[in-house]
Amino acid sequence: MKISGKAYRTLWLGEDGWSIDIIDQTRLPHEFEILKLRSVGDAVRAISAMQVRGAPLIGVTAAYGMALAMHEDQSDASLDAAYGALLSARPTAMNLRWALDEMRTRLAPLEVGERATAAYARAGKIADEDVEICRRIGANGLPLIEEIAARKNGAAVNVLTHCNAGWLATVDWGTATAPIYMAHDKGIPVHVWVDETRPRNQGAALTAFELGQHGVPHTIITDNAGGHLMRRGEVDLCIVGTDRTTAAGDVCNKIGTYLKALAAHDNGVPFYVALPGPTIDWTIDDGDDIPIEERDGDEVSHVSGRTAAGNIESVQITAPGSPVANYAFDVTPARLVTGLITERGICDASKLALAALYPEESA
Ligand code: MRU
């Protein structure tokens, strides 16, 4: 994807050949800042402070975090410590554990002196695979938009999305946004309703930013506006991402996703979830078994933004001492999901359909 006309991924190998450069997403959309990760500790901090976020990008950053650990110390102890520290950085995204397992399985059997080179090679491959997976999700989801466009005789297809399951949540393309970018690039008129996504406003700050950079028409709405728009027939299709989907198709995603799925169900609006294979947790069927991250209450009691003077500041919106709770994710039961858009095709949100698409995993 392009920022001010220049193509970027969301993270890349530094010019020194071992450090990792990331886009600091806590500064967007106000400042475009590149941050260097030089240690596994830097990678853990970047994930937990959400300088990088979004399930696929968290996974790729963790893979490079293991490489940074191996750059420093290739011992078994270093491998185990890096695995543990990165795994605890955020609890919900399945891609984190998937990427760490991939790395450990690859590195553990190697001679100690061979691990650093192998770690960078595997992390680089995971990043490239993520780009290809997202590209395929886009290609598989595109016909959904094309079909609606054909029915609408040239009027824009209105897609509602929640949080940021875009380019910034992956290495490139995004998951939920990939079909949208492909439709736009093909000249299909598409317009995106962007949920602001309190408390951290990933929709308002990140999704709107990247859609704007790519020239995709969009409108930011409050989180509570989706139901109203769906009742008025102003949403043709919902596409969201997911941090973890169970083997039976229950979908865990950013808090508020469930309410959108309920509104979509009540109004007959198709509700699709775009996801890469590594987001599926084959060990559980029931969404209630997914650990739901609870974050600092300050994210609810405070809002950050740019002042008229140009400074990025945080202001309190609650009375001092008001109790707050900050659940970061919720679960949408499979019965509310019209379909899952994967790199292998679109399927029902069911155990049978997922097993048919990923026979090697379900076995
Ligand atoms: O808390 P975040 O910003 O990491 O949450 C991100 C989401 O909920 C995304 O929808 C999900 O990770 C899918 S990203 C392709």
Side-chain angles (χ1 to χ4, degrees):
M1 291 286 128
K2 290 185 176 163
I3 302 289
S4 307
K6 185 172 176 219
Y8 282 94
R9 283 185 171 190
T10 48
L11 89 175
W12 57 94
L13 195 61
E15 278 180 3
D16 53 21
W18 65 270
S19 64
I20 304 303
D21 291 342
I22 60 163
I23 298 166
D24 182 351
Q25 299 193 22
T26 62
R27 311 300 291 176
L28 290 173
H30 311 296
E31 288 167 3
F32 183 77
E33 262 184 32
I34 292 168
L35 196 74
K36 201 167 260 310
L37 310 181
R38 292 191 176 82
S39 66
V40 60
D42 286 351
V44 171
R45 258 190 309 281
I47 293 169
S48 57
M50 295 177 64
Q51 289 167 319
V52 289
R53 26 70 49 208
L57 182 58
I58 289 171
V60 176
T61 307
Y64 273 117
M66 293 285 271
L68 288 168
M70 293 300 96
H71 177 73
E72 203 172 310
D73 172 0
Q74 306 189 46
S75 67
D76 285 350
S78 162
L79 191 64
D80 289 346
Y83 182 98
L86 287 159
L87 189 62
S88 63
R90 285 194 78 188
T92 302
M94 182 62 195
N95 308 57
L96 176 63
R97 195 172 80 201
W98 176 87
L100 290 172
D101 286 344
E102 280 286 308
M103 294 297 285
R104 190 161 67 175
T105 306
R106 183 63 57 107
L107 301 179
L110 298 181
E111 297 292 328
V112 166
E114 296 170 349
R115 285 177 177 165
T117 309
Y120 279 98
R122 183 63 191 127
K125 200 143 180 285
I126 289 174
D128 289 346
E129 283 165 4
D130 185 67
V131 178
E132 179 55 16
I133 284 174
C134 289
R135 196 193 61 74
R136 286 197 205 164
I137 288 172
N140 291 335
L142 175 62
L144 296 173
I145 297 177
E146 285 178 321
E147 277 160 31
I148 297 169
R151 285 205 304 272
K152 289 190 80 174
N153 287 324
V157 177
N158 287 304
V159 184
L160 183 142
T161 193
H162 191 67
C163 193
N164 174 263
W167 162 69
L168 287 162
T170 63
V171 177
D172 207 346
W173 285 106
T175 56
T177 54
I180 296 169
Y181 285 128
M182 284 192 187
H184 173 81
D185 291 351
K186 247 186 124 176
I188 297 167
V190 57
H191 165 264
V192 185
W193 294 113
V194 180
D195 283 353
E196 62 175 347
T197 319
R198 277 280 289 149
R200 290 185 66 104
N201 293 319
Q202 288 97 325
L206 304 176
T207 305
F209 169 76
E210 59 165 89
L211 290 172
Q213 289 290 327
H214 200 78
V216 180
H218 62 279
T219 308
I220 299 166
I221 51 176
T222 61
D223 288 327
N224 297 325
H228 169 69
L229 291 169
M230 288 191 226
R231 281 200 68 229
R232 286 181 12 163
E234 293 184 45
V235 180
D236 296 305
L237 172 70
C238 298
I239 312 180
V240 300
T242 167
D243 289 79
R244 193 185 296 218
T245 287
T246 70
D250 285 351
V251 169
C252 181
N253 191 46
K254 180 54 55 191
I255 193 79
T257 302
Y258 172 52
L259 287 175
K260 293 302 139 73
L262 283 173
H265 187 70
D266 194 44
N267 290 284
V269 174
F271 187 90
Y272 282 91
V273 178
L275 74 160
T279 304
I280 303 166
D281 187 342
W282 297 103
T283 67
I284 53 174
D285 285 349
D286 187 344
D288 287 341
D289 291 335
I290 298 173
I292 301 292
E293 179 178 17
E294 289 182 45
R295 294 185 60 87
D296 197 317
D298 281 2
E299 291 181 353
V300 176
S301 59
H302 291 65
V303 171
S304 94
R306 187 165 59 182
T307 65
N311 304 318
I312 299 177
E313 283 179 19
S314 171
V315 293
Q316 184 162 6
I317 56 168
T318 58
S322 286
V324 293
N326 188 6
Y327 302 101
F329 298 98
D330 62 23
V331 173
T332 298
R335 68 187 159 78
L336 296 176
V337 177
T338 310
L340 302 172
I341 309 170
T342 78
E343 73 276 18
R344 296 195 184 177
I346 298 182
C347 73
D348 289 345
S350 73
K351 201 170 169 82
L352 217 62
L354 276 169
L357 268 194
Y358 297 91
E360 77 287 8
E361 300 287 358
S362 62

